[in-house]
């Protein structure tokens, strides 16, 4: 295409000679020698090209039939082996277009001067050449693109040789003829010279590369064979391993964006995937940009640790200074070039009126117009690309900087910002700073634009330009209050959106609990309340922007009315040329006037974002020197704390931990115990250096590994979680899996350790998460191990196994410090630390401290009390522990079925799939749905009508000014001055009102549609079954609720409208131009056809790149949020560098599609600009060649005025189409989530239970079979039993036996596949979900609290009085704790209840059920997170207040179910035993008695065994 543009543009300017030499050949002038006659040669070359057409046609038929059998072969080949394939293609297309232009010029020449035989023959020759070369281009494109042939066909190469010979002969004849007759048409010269050059090129391509071909033949079998035999042949070419062609592109390629062509071409042939996207150039990656930003920030902040906004700005400017400087030059060139057109219009009108200053002035004017537009176009394209490149680089550096800061934040700094807020710095603020590039040069550009405009106006209308200046300033000032209002509304809109997103993210995190409690609709209404506040601001923002739009479109009209009015008053004569020049100037002024408020608000928004990021980067990091690291060899001490005082809040007068003194030698086992909230976890945090140190010394020798109390699992494969960055050592890996009892769980999972874990380990049970976490620590092979109560989330047997295999087994020689609530694990410790109120009350060995103090006695006493139930039962303690455990192992060797086997569909499908992205064209149905969502689409036609009226009135007003004013001073005006201005004002006011109406209609449609889509999507999400949330990471849902919803809220309606309006404007311009010279259609239609083809060619890649941007953004945010929640674990393993590298990789992965999207956009625009430039140049040449007097000069001038905008508008139409296709993807993604299958109805009106149901609480289970998906194994396999009303039933079984599934089925989180559950005779599947769930109570496995107050956590539905709430708090032992707080029931609860300990959160859950007082209560491993004493409290409370309720308990501690009325034992989804505990224990062979025996052995007689085990 470059060739085409070069040849066609140079030829167009040279055609002046052709037209000025208006002599025609006469046959009789020839000297009789027919072979020396150029006319005969035209006939000869036409015949030659006809032969080419025939050759191409026959070759095409031959290939067609031969290739029918070789389809597969064709698909396997990636690229052609032909030499110079692309240059050959472009040369063929270039000659074809060149001949087409010559043919058209010849036709106009003929149309103007009459026809002759010579002209007919010449046109025929040029027409045949055009067709022949186009046919050859298509033939090569279709048949040789994927061909294995390494040479062009012999017949084609022979023809090229003949073509070159004939071209040489023709040029010689031209010289001979010119010498003889002293003239020859320029058309012949141009045609023959170009043919000669191209013939030479084709001969070179066809013949002189023979050696290369031979080399290729020699190499090819080896290369292909190698690929075929190896595995490589099956792999696609990895784009992410190839560096961007941008880095190696030449000057011409950079100027024309041709370096993008391979990617766009690939996208046209296939759907682009992540591996097709090449890597970025080093300077654009994080590794290239971040060091520059870091080094600059370091040099600025010598004195303090603070980062100011100014430092950040300077750092970012240095990071991108080259792009900023280059783009500034482009902006200057663009601004100067854009004013050449308006400056020359008056001269052009005078020229058309017959006023000539010098010979060929018309061609000089056309050339000036053309060159100015060319420079304007090139400068604009490169300016846009460079600022985007700078923006992406700045954003990447900032995001990486924020990520690195997130890794080192102290806990106190983190408390000031929720995870959502910190993620916003990355996803919103950094993006906004990246987008600022667009506005960076506007402030100084506006000054130059306004200055140039005033200079041109002063030349045209003298002093009236001052009035124009005043009007311009007034319009700008009118924009200022509007801009401020918009900014205020935008600010409020963002704040309300933040609140909504915070609530949404909390709800998604805790959806399971909301569904179990039947609270989801209450929380949905909360989110809708937040949305109502948001839409209040949105409405104000949108309607203010409608007024701004009105000002934008009305500005040129207002300024022109004022200026022309001033001319009338001052008596300055108006001529059509000057008026047209002024109108063109006003139109260019429109942009800076409109952009000013936009620029101001963008500067303000960017400053706010910079301030926010700077203040975040200034937050305190963890103190680096809290822990003294000692070399491993230097001493025998592993951990030592001397006089340690630590506080989470440094400003607090009383430290969290006081007077901590202890020393741990290498290889010791240390247990930490104490009641809920005594500071056990804090003590571990202080050893890790996570807790601010007030005073004292901590020394640590060796590497450390940490297992947190709440499991932190990364989304990814199980194997990746365990290896955690270490190399795979199969032997060690197997040992670790065995020690953590993970082998069975992995057997059950369809993909074993390759199973992808959902976000936060959502598809694993609590026990599995905890064991994977322990496995991760064990695999690291550290020197010091810190365990924060990891045994609480697993059942009794697994707990013992873990303790024996991990702490006493694999870690026998390591230093281990473990927090535990299970007293039975204490005797094995070399040192026990008893914590109370933040101090170490007792320290020593088990037997020593048992005798010496009351605090430890309390804990052990509570444990003894729990065991007293066992004392009355005669358990045969003589049987050795080994024997029992062997029986148990046999029993356990049956395949478990994981409670939470992937809740997906196919057996062999990962739970969390890659994010779905639509492929191919966005269906028209999406547009149709969008347009017809609001008011059934009734308003859309009115918006179009308003725009059409505006276009007609605007053209009418300009036409009126051009027609009614005289062309020059010596011509009398058509109408009086007052009539002229009055009609103009009337037309202008009419057009302004149309614009206002249009803006209001579009805003109304957009606002209504956004709300309908929001409500539909949220309703569908909240009504989705739990399986949807298990298999969908919350990031995907949040992305739709934030980014996509924002697009629909703010931009979508205006984008769709702008596309329609741009088409109407384009048609208007073409209508005006065709009034003057209808011939412009001859070139306009082919140009539009090529534009549309280019757009289709480009959009395939652009659409997929836009989708990939969406898909690549979520992992960056998800990785960051995971890092924030697990930062203490990451730091404890010293894994920060690995996480930083991964983050950099993800950021670059997001920047790459963004970078190529920008490149692709400019690739398209520059080509469209060149095409529209051809239309414009063509129409100008027409105007100067039409004989004088045929056309009204002022109307011709009007056509040029509009034509100046043609290239901009033509590109704008296509740009809008692409932009719309990219943005409509947001609507498509939201619509995906409006069709999620819903759960059964919440209320079945025809079958509502009575208000006091269930009265007795009897639960009958009949042949219950449950599975998680149609193709998955049954988890419960035919359960039949009755839970008696008012009785307490314990449900026991190994991890994965189906306990949790039974409870989920009772609440209908999972629907029964076969069988039924009856509660008091009512089938639970026959009533509504809310009717069922609201009448049952549950204390779930993971204690959950929501951000808000104590009151809102206990009673979110606001059904109870304060007295009832206090009563419940007292019953669950939290009353005193809450009374201590100044705000009492209104005390704040932070995100996830972080400011409450896990045990306290469990007690809040107990408070909820005490308030509800249901007849059926379920405890799902409810006491796993509390110590034995608190556990006993809970049990006593429940016993006391739920005497007449049916209580179902899933327990890990056997003591929790010993006092039950009945015990149900599940194994592998089958009911194995169901009877009273007494009866089951009497039968020594029962599984239950074996479980109890093991627990009893471990807890009472095992003290000695465990202490022996350590020896």
């Amino acid at each position: 295409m470059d060739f085409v543009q070069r040849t066609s543009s140079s030829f167009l300017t040279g055609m002046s000679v052709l037209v000025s030499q208006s002599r025609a050949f006469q046959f009789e002038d020839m000297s009789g020698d027919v072979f020396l006659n150029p006319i005969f040669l035209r006939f000869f070359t036409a015949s030659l090209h006809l032969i080419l057409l025939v050759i191409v046609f026959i070759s095409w038929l031959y290939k067609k039939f031969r290739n029918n059998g070789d389809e597969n072969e064709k698909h396997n080949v990636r690229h052609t082996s032909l030499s110079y394939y692309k240059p050959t293609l472009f040369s063929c297309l270039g000659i074809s277009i060149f001949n087409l232009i010559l043919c058209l010029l010849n036709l106009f020449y003929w149309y103007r001067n009459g026809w002759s035989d010579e002209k007919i023959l010449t046109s025929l020759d040029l027409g045949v050449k055009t067709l022949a070369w186009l046919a050859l281009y298509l033939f090569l494109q279709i048949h040789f693109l994927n061909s294995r042939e390494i040479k062009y066909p012999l017949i084609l190469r022979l023809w090229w040789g003949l073509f070159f010979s004939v071209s040489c002969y023709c040029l010689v004849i031209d010289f001979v003829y010119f010498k003889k007759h002293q003239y020859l048409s320029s058309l012949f010269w141009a045609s023959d010279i170009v043919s000669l050059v191209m013939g030479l090129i084709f001969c070179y391509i066809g013949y002189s590369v023979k050696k290369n071909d031979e080399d290729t033949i020699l190499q090819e079998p080896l290369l292909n064979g190698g690929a075929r035999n190896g595995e490589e042949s099956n792999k696609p070419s990895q784009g992410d391993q190839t560096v961007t062609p941008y880095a190696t592109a030449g000057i011409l390629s950079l100027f024309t964006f041709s370096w993008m062509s391979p990617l766009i071409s690939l996208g046209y042939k296939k759907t682009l995937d992540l591996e097709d996207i090449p890597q970025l150039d080093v300077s654009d990656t994080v590794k290239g940009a971040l060091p520059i930003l870091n080094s600059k920030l370091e040099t600025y902040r010598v004195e303090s640790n603070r980062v100011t906004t100014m430092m950040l700005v300077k750092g970012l400017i240095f990071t991108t200074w080259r792009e900023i400087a280059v783009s500034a030059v482009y902006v200057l060139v663009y601004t100067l070039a854009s004013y050449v057109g308006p400056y020359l219009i008056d001269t052009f009108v005078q020229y058309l009126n017959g006023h000539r200053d010098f010979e060929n002035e018309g061609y000089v004017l056309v050339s000036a117009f053309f060159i100015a537009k060319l420079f304007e176009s090139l400068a604009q394209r490169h300016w846009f690309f460079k600022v985007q490149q700078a923006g992406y680089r700045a954003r990447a550096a900032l995001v990486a900087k924020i990520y690195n800061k997130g890794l080192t934040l102290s806990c106190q700094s983190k408390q000031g910002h929720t995870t959502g807020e910190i993620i916003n710095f990355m996803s919103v603020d950094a993006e906004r700073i990246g987008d600022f590039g667009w506005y960076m040069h506007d402030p100084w550009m506006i000054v130059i634009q306004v200055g140039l405009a005033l200079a041109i106006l002063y030349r045209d209308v003298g002093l009236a330009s001052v009035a124009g200046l005043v009007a311009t300033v007034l319009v700008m000032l009118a924009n200022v209050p509007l801009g401020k209002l918009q900014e205020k509304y935008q600010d409020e809109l963002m704040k309300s959106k933040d609140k909504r997103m915070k609530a949404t993210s909390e709800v998604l995190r805790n959806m399971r609990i909301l569904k179990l409690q039947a609270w989801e609709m209450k929380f949905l209404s909360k989110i809708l309340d937040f949305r109502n506040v948001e839409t209040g601001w949105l409405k104000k923002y949108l309607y203010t922007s409608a007024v701004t739009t009105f000002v934008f479109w009305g500005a040129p009209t207002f300024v022109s009315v004022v200026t022309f009015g001033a001319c009338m008053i001052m008596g300055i004569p108006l001529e059509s040329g000057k008026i047209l020049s002024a109108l063109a100037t006003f139109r260019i002024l429109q942009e800076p006037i409109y952009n000013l408020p936009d620029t101001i608000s963008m500067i303000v928004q960017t400053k706010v974002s910079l301030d926010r990021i700077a203040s975040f980067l200034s937050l305190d990091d963890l103190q680096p020197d809290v822990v003294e690291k000692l070399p491993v060899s230097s001493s025998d001490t592993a951990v030592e704390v001397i006089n340690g005082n630590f506080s989470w809040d440094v400003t607090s007068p009383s430290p969290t931990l006081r007077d901590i003194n202890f020393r741990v030698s290498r290889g010791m086992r240390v247990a930490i115990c104490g009641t809920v909230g005594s500071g056990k976890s804090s003590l571990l945090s202080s050893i890790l250096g996570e807790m601010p140190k007030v005073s004292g010394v901590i020394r640590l020798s060796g590497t450390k590994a940490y297992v947190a109390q709440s499991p932190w699992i990364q989304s990814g494969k199980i194997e990746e979680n365990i290896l955690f960055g270490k190399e795979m050592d199969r032997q060690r890996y197997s040992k670790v899996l065995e020690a953590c009892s993970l082998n069975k769980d992995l057997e059950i999972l369809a993909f074993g350790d390759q199973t992808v874990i959902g976000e936060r380990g959502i598809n694993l049970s609590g026990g599995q998460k905890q064991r994977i976490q322990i496995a991760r620590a064990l695999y690291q092979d550290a020197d010091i191990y810190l365990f924060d109560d990891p045994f609480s989330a697993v059942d009794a047997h697994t707990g013992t196994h873990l303790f024996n295999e991990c702490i006493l087994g694999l870690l026998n020689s390591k230093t281990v410090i473990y927090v535990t609530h299970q007293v039975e694990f204490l005797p094995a410790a070399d040192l026990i630390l008893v914590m109370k109120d933040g101090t170490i009350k007792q320290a020593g060995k088990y037997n020593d401290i048992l005798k010496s103090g009351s605090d430890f006695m309390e804990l052990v006493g509570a444990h003894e009390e729990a065991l007293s139930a066992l004392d009355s039962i005669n358990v045969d303690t003589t049987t050795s522990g080994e024997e029992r455990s062997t029986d148990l192992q046999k029993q356990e060797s049956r395949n478990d079925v994981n409670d939470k086997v992937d809740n997906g569909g196919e057996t062999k499908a990962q739970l969390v799939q890659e994010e779905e992205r639509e492929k191919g064209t966005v269906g028209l149905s999406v547009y149709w749905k969008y347009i017809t969502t609001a008011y059934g689409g009734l308003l859309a036609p009115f918006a179009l009508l308003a725009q059409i009226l505006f276009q007609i009135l605007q053209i009418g007003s300009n036409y009126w000014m051009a027609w009614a004013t005289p062309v020059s001073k010596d011509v009398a005006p058509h109408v009086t001055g007052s009539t002229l201005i009055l009609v103009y004002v009337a037309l202008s006011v009419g057009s302004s009102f149309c614009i206002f109406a249009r803006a209001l209609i579009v805003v109304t449609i957009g606002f209504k549609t956004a709300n309908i889509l929001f409500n539909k999507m949220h309703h569908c999400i909240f009504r989705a079954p739990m399986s949807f949330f298990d298999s969908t990471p919350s990031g995907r849902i949040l992305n739709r609720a934030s980014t996509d919803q924002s697009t629909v809220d703010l931009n979508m309606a205006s984008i769709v409208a702008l596309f329609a309006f741009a088409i109407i404007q384009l048609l208007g311009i073409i209508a005006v131009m065709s009034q003057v010279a209808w011939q412009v259609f001859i070139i306009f239609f082919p140009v539009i056809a090529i534009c549309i083809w280019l757009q289709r060619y480009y959009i395939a890649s652009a659409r997929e790149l836009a989708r990939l941007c969406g898909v690549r953004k979520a992992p960056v945010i998800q990785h960051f949020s995971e890092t924030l929640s697990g930062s203490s674990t990451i730091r404890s393993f010293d894994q920060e560098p690995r996480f930083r590298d991964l983050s950099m990789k993800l950021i670059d992965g997001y920047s790459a599609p963004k970078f190529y999207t920008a490149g692709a956009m400019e690739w398209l625009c520059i080509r469209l600009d060149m095409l529209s430039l051809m239309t414009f140049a063509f129409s100008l040449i027409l105007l100067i060649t039409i004989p004088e007097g045929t056309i009204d000069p002022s109307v011709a001038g009007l056509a040029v005025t509009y034509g100046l905008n043609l290239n901009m508008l033509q590109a704008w139409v296509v740009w809008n189409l692409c932009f719309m296709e990219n943005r409509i993807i947001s609507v498509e993604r939201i619509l995906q989530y409006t069709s999620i299958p819903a759960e059964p109805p919440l209320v079945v009106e025809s079958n509502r239970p009575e208000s006091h149901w269930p009265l007795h609480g009897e639960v009958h289970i009949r042949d219950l079979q449950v599975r998680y998906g149609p193709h998955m194994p049954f988890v419960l396999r035919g359960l039949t039993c009755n839970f008696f009303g008012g009785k307490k039933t314990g449900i026991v079984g190994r991890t994965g036996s189906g306990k949790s599934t039974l409870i989920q089925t009772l609440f209908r989180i999972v629907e029964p596949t076969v069988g039924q559950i009856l509660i008091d005779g009512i089938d639970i599947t026959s009533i509504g979900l809310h009717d069922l769930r609201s009448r049952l109570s549950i204390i779930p496995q993971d204690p959950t609290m929501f951000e808000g107050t104590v009151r809102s956590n206990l009673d979110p539905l606001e059904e109870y009085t304060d007295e009832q709430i206090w009563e419940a708090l007292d019953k669950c032992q939290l009353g005193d704790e809450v009374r201590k707080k100044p705000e009492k029931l209104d005390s704040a609860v932070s995100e996830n209840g972080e400011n409450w300990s896990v045990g306290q959160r469990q007690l809040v859950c107990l408070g909820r059920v005490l308030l509800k007082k249901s007849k059926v209560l379920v405890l799902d491993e409810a006491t796993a997170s509390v110590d034995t004493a608190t556990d006993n409290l809970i049990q006593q409370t429940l016993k006391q207040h739920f005497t007449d309720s049916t209580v179902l308990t899933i327990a890990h501690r056997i003591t929790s179910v010993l006092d039950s009325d009945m015990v149900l034992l599940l194994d592998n989804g089958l009911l194995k035993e169901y009877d009273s505990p007494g009866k089951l224990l009497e039968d020594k062979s029962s599984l239950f008695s074996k479980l109890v025996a093991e627990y009893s052995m471990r807890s009472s007689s095992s003290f000695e065994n465990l202490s022996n085990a350590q020896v």
Side-chain angles (χ1 to χ4, degrees), residues 342 344-353 459-461 564 572-586 957-974 980 1191-1201:
L344 291 178
I345 279 184
D346 187 26
T347 317
F348 191 71
V349 171
Q350 298 307 326
Y351 171 82
L352 293 179
N353 197 35
R459 189 202 65 167
D460 290 337
V461 293
F564 297 149
I572 297 167
L574 288 174
E575 297 159 25
S576 55
K578 286 176 178 170
I579 279 184
L580 292 169
S581 174
L583 286 174
T585 308
F586 294 143
S957 63
N958 291 344
Y959 189 87
W960 165 258
M961 288 303 277
W963 173 83
T965 49
V967 176
S968 57
K969 293 173 192 169
D970 44 3
V971 180
H974 296 277
L980 176 78
I1191 187 160
D1192 184 344
S1194 47
V1195 176
L1198 182 68
V1200 177
T1201 310

Side-chain angles (χ1 to χ4, degrees), residues 1097-1147:
Y1097 183 70
Y1098 149 89
I1099 198 68
S1101 307
R1103 192 189 306 113
E1104 296 314 318
L1105 283 168
R1107 283 174 175 152
L1108 289 173
C1109 285
V1111 171
R1112 277 268 174 121
K1113 185 176 183 179
V1116 178
I1117 292 171
Q1118 193 178 333
H1119 178 65
F1120 187 39
S1121 68
E1122 273 183 357
T1123 304
L1124 284 172
S1125 58
S1127 54
S1128 52
T1129 303
I1130 295 166
R1131 286 193 289 263
S1132 66
F1133 285 97
D1134 297 320
Q1135 290 271 346
E1136 298 100 318
R1138 183 171 73 87
F1139 275 77
R1140 283 194 191 106
D1141 287 348
L1142 179 56
S1143 167
M1144 284 182 180
K1145 202 173 165 191
L1146 289 171
I1147 294 165

Side-chain angles (χ1 to χ4, degrees), residues 108 222 236 437 480 751 822 827 900 1067 1231:
F108 287 130
L222 292 171
V480 173
F751 293 86
Q822 280 103 318
K900 298 190 178 186
L1067 293 173
L1231 287 172

Side-chain angles (χ1 to χ4, degrees), residues 627-733:
V627 179
E628 266 181 56
K629 298 268 171 69
L630 301 174
V632 179
S633 53
S634 66
S635 77
D636 188 38
T637 306
V639 181
E640 186 174 17
V641 182
I642 305 167
N643 299 329
N645 287 296
F646 305 92
S647 180
W648 287 117
D649 181 4
V650 185
T651 55
S652 162
S654 56
T656 316
L657 298 178
R658 297 183 305 282
D659 306 324
I660 304 294
N661 284 286
F662 68 91
R663 180 177 165 280
V664 180
S665 301
R666 200 173 306 291
M668 268 176 82
R669 273 194 291 277
V670 180
I672 303 171
C673 59
T675 53
V676 170
S678 60
K680 302 182 296 296
S681 298
S682 297
L683 183 59
L684 285 191
S685 296
S686 67
I687 297 169
L688 287 168
E690 293 288 318
M691 192 172 180
K693 179 172 72 174
V694 179
S695 62
V697 180
I698 311 174
R699 295 197 183 99
L700 202 129
S701 166
T703 55
K704 56 196 186 304
Y706 169 62
V707 177
Q709 185 173 13
S710 306
W712 177 72
I713 301 287
Q714 271 185 288
S715 46
K717 292 176 185 162
I718 291 176
E719 182 190 280
E720 289 166 6
N721 266 286
I722 295 173
L723 296 183
F724 207 53
K726 285 254 183 188
E727 290 295 315
M728 168 60 89
D729 171 350
R730 275 284 158 208
Q731 197 179 349
R732 179 168 186 75
Y733 186 68

Side-chain angles (χ1 to χ4, degrees), residues 189-263:
W189 280 118
S191 174
D192 293 341
I193 289 169
V194 169
S195 296
L196 177 76
V197 173
M198 297 316 293
L200 190 62
I201 290 170
F202 284 125
C203 283
Y204 175 76
I205 288 168
Y207 294 98
S208 69
V209 286
K210 204 167 188 179
K211 188 172 183 310
N212 287 3
D213 293 348
E214 283 161 9
D215 291 350
T216 319
I217 294 165
L218 287 171
Q219 292 167 12
E220 203 154 76
L222 292 171
L223 293 172
N224 285 354
R228 243 177 254 120
N229 301 336
E231 294 167 14
E232 292 302 311
S233 61
N234 300 328
K235 290 186 182 176
S237 67
Q238 292 285 308
D240 53 1
Q241 289 165 11
T242 56
V243 176
T244 172
Y246 175 72
T248 53
I251 283 189
L252 191 66
S253 178
L254 286 173
F255 244 86
T256 56
F257 291 96
S258 300
W259 54 271
M260 273 303 301
S261 298
L263 187 63

